[in-house]
Amino acid sequence: MVSDYCGSALLTSLPDDVFVIVSRALLPRDLCNLSLCCRSLNALAGSDKVWATQCDMVGFVSHHDLVDWRKGVASYKALCRFLHNVQPLIGIWVHQNPELGNVVYVMPGFVSVVGCRIIPQELGPFGLDHGPILWAPVFEIIGDVDGSVTFWLHGREKEHNYFYPGSMKPIDRACNVLLLEVETRQQSNEGKLKYSKSFANHCEKEMLRKICRSDSGLSSSQRMIGQSASVVPFSRLGFGDRRKLLEAVTSHVRARVPEATNGPLFPCSREDENYPKDMVFLFQRRLLLMTMYKLGGSCMDWKAKLEQPSDQNRLELNEIRKSLDNSGGLRNSLCEDENHTQNTKRKSLGVYLRSGVKHILRKSVSMNGSHLTSRNASSCSESKHAQLNEFLRAGDALGLTLHACSMKLSAYRAWPNMHDNRFALYKLPMCITEAGQEYAGLWGGTFGWPPGRPTEDKPGKALFFLLLSYEESQGQRLLIATKILEGTHYVLHPNGSAMFIANVDEPSLDPFPWDTDGESVPVDVKNAYMGEGIANGYGFRYPGSKPGSLYVIQDGTLAFIWKESRAVLTLQRLNLQELLKKGERVHALPPVANFSYLTKSYSNVFAGFTNTTNTLSSPRFVSYDA
């Protein structure tokens, strides 16, 4: 009997529900390997029940939402592929500029994840629980029927809203940096690569044919070594080159937001009566966007393109010469020393391409076994930045791409130290709420007590988002409240600064100054800790501090009170996803700046408003297509 049920027979003999329970101990790759063993195991490991369980284990989408999402993909296996791809992106991403706070929250949409920027704002007339929070779209990552992903940047130019379609590089499971980049691509022509399409004039084509003939004596492996060695990553280009390439590509691939997609990017709460209508709209919207992507990112002439599907979302190099020339040209950034820095001349892209071909022809390549050596290798290795034509040489088309990677970053408390010239967003590490760290996580609030709703005679106050985390110092446990968003008109507290630090091992004996809250309910203080809060004034990067106490109220509210001034900062724990579902959408910035605003600013660059929540027309969505 034992021999009858061993190996694959033991697994196939299990009831479906039992095998589903067993599969919870397996990773998706284990199931894929199992399906390759034999035909019977392939059917068992490929069942929708098994992969539905794997989807449920990913964790950031509820079971009810998974059932809805399944309608938009080919199988639960395809859905699991999408969920595992995008799961590392879920969370809070920030940038140092502007100093008021640049907070982008990535949350589930419909078979998609959506990057939403929280606009610096005042607390609305209905308070944080019931009032709509203002946000603007930054990007979407949408899953296709097979679970593959497409990237869509949002932006607004000349009073119109646009999509900017692109691709997604493989996502690092431990990614902490999101980079907006341009990548070179090869366009196919009847199964063959177009080697010279990026060069328009006949002379350059002739030179490239000579190069091809000179390479004909090399083996395919040697040619691959040479090609891979010459690929220049986008990050090696100078800042000016990167910025102008991004601007040129976005201006070319952009697609006007059609009226049919002008609506919510994610459904409202299930309890809302509009939920069924939202789901119907999101299903149709996603189909429309995927069709736009496959037809080249444009919705203007679909019927004309149905018979001629194009290589989507790519910018041919010869088509951007004019774009870059009109934007002032690009700075030559390779092999320049300090003496040449001040006198560097701007060159057009056409000059770069021509000089690149000449550079290739002058290059002396000698073969010694499988090693390739270049005459100018030493000079290139000494340069700080790569030359633009070296980057463009890797392909004949350009496209927008999102790169989620892992970098070694230093940090001050919970705030990462950021590069000032990268188009990037940085992920904030979220502490898990557990025993001994009950207050870790995202909190929101404002100055003042009681924490009641603003009224006409008592207008709204600046909304703050704080990330609370724990740290040990000299044997003491510290609770640190790092500011990540500030809703004032002009910044008073630097990004990443500690609004307060409380020593959770040192109780405070100072009494709470008030007996009741805003609803005249008696205040019951559960705990009080000694601490220190940020000093007023912005004049330095890491401001000083003054003594105070942190109070934990019975309803879960936190209140930090400065001892000398008696100023009070009241906080409540946030469910940002639910707040955004009830929020109001406002205009985005132009695409590149919308992703990461690199200019130092101490005012609100995202929207010029005061209490905008009083004037917006809809509690769910602001129709803004011009």
Side-chain angles (χ1 to χ4, degrees), residues 150-215:
T150 56
F151 166 63
W152 298 81
L153 180 65
H154 285 256
R156 183 174 175 85
E157 301 178 70
K158 298 179 180 178
E159 304 304 318
H160 297 299
N161 300 288
Y162 292 95
F163 292 128
Y164 304 84
S167 62
M168 193 79 199
K169 288 188 176 180
I171 300 173
D172 193 314
R173 301 298 302 172
C175 63
N176 59 355
V177 180
L178 271 182
L179 296 164
L180 183 65
E181 297 183 342
V182 170
E183 67 173 353
T184 55
R185 304 171 186 174
Q186 295 284 1
Q187 294 194 113
S188 59
N189 181 24
E190 300 177 349
K192 298 181 180 180
L193 295 179
K194 287 188 176 180
Y195 193 38
S196 59
K197 188 172 181 179
S198 59
F199 301 97
N201 74 54
H202 179 73
C203 179
E204 290 171 343
K205 292 181 180 179
E206 287 297 321
M207 287 189 282
L208 281 172
R209 278 194 284 270
K210 293 178 182 178
I211 296 171
C212 294
R213 287 197 294 270
S214 66
D215 285 346

Side-chain angles (χ1 to χ4, degrees), residues 265-556:
L265 307 186
F266 39 78
C268 58
S269 300
R270 284 184 170 272
E271 296 76 19
D272 196 303
E273 61 181 8
N274 291 318
Y275 181 81
K277 184 165 59 174
D278 281 358
M279 291 304 298
V280 172
F281 170 81
L282 288 168
F283 188 87
Q284 296 299 327
R285 178 183 183 275
R286 175 174 165 271
L287 291 179
L288 191 60
L289 288 178
M290 296 310 302
T291 305
M292 286 174 59
Y293 192 89
K294 292 172 183 177
L295 294 177
S298 174
C299 61
M300 301 303 293
D301 53 346
W302 283 353
K303 292 181 180 179
K305 291 186 177 183
L306 284 176
E307 300 299 326
Q308 298 177 351
S310 61
D311 238 350
Q312 71 271 16
N313 313 324
R314 297 182 178 180
L315 177 60
E316 294 183 21
L317 301 185
N318 60 339
E319 293 180 5
I320 66 168
R321 292 184 185 179
K322 224 177 260 186
S323 301
L324 294 178
D325 287 342
N326 291 339
S327 65
L330 297 173
R331 186 177 299 276
N332 184 354
S333 56
L334 178 70
C335 301
E336 58 183 13
D337 55 26
E338 295 180 359
N339 294 329
H340 294 124
T341 300
Q342 297 178 352
N343 298 319
T344 303
K345 296 181 179 179
R346 295 183 179 271
K347 295 185 177 182
S348 69
L349 183 58
V351 174
Y352 272 112
L353 296 174
R354 286 191 292 274
S355 63
V357 176
K358 295 175 183 177
H359 175 73
I360 296 172
L361 291 175
R362 290 197 305 266
K363 204 171 184 180
S364 173
V365 180
S366 61
M367 296 300 301
N368 184 9
S370 62
H371 298 283
L372 296 175
T373 59
S374 171
R375 183 183 305 172
N376 62 350
S378 59
S379 61
C380 289
S381 64
E382 295 171 359
S383 64
K384 183 179 180 181
H385 299 299
Q387 197 172 20
L388 179 61
N389 65 310
E390 291 189 343
F391 171 77
L392 299 176
R393 194 181 300 142
D396 56 14
L398 298 175
L400 202 62
T401 186
L402 186 66
H403 186 194
C405 61
S406 177
M407 292 186 180
K408 187 175 181 180
L409 300 173
S410 60
Y412 178 75
R413 302 254 162 81
W415 189 259
N417 293 319
M418 306 175 191
H419 303 277
D420 58 1
N421 64 352
R422 288 186 179 175
F423 299 93
L425 294 170
Y426 298 80
K427 193 171 189 180
L428 289 182
M430 294 296 293
C431 298
I432 300 175
T433 303
E434 57 186 11
Q437 297 190 0
E438 294 84 358
Y439 310 119
L442 183 66
W443 295 71
T446 188
F447 279 92
W449 186 272
R453 298 179 182 176
T455 60
E456 291 183 3
D457 58 337
K458 185 182 178 182
K461 298 181 179 180
L463 173 63
F464 283 82
F465 278 8
L466 305 182
L467 184 65
L468 271 59
S469 58
Y470 286 82
E471 184 177 298
E472 287 202 14
S473 176
Q474 299 178 350
Q476 300 289 315
R477 285 188 308 147
L478 303 179
L479 178 61
I480 302 172
T482 303
K483 173 229 150 178
I484 64 173
L485 185 79
E486 178 178 346
T488 53
H489 297 288
Y490 191 83
V491 65
L492 299 176
H493 311 90
N495 267 346
S497 59
M499 292 297 291
F500 63 81
I501 300 174
N503 187 341
V504 295
D505 291 330
E506 186 178 355
S508 174
L509 301 178
D510 295 334
F512 192 72
W514 297 278
D515 297 327
T516 61
D517 63 9
E519 305 293 334
S520 299
V521 176
V523 173
D524 180 16
V525 178
K526 295 175 59 178
N527 291 299
Y529 307 105
M530 293 293 294
E532 53 186 27
I534 194 169
N536 288 334
Y538 183 83
F540 32 92
R541 182 66 188 89
Y542 303 114
S545 57
K546 293 184 178 180
S549 298
L550 177 66
Y551 298 89
V552 183
I553 314 300
Q554 81 276 5
D555 61 355

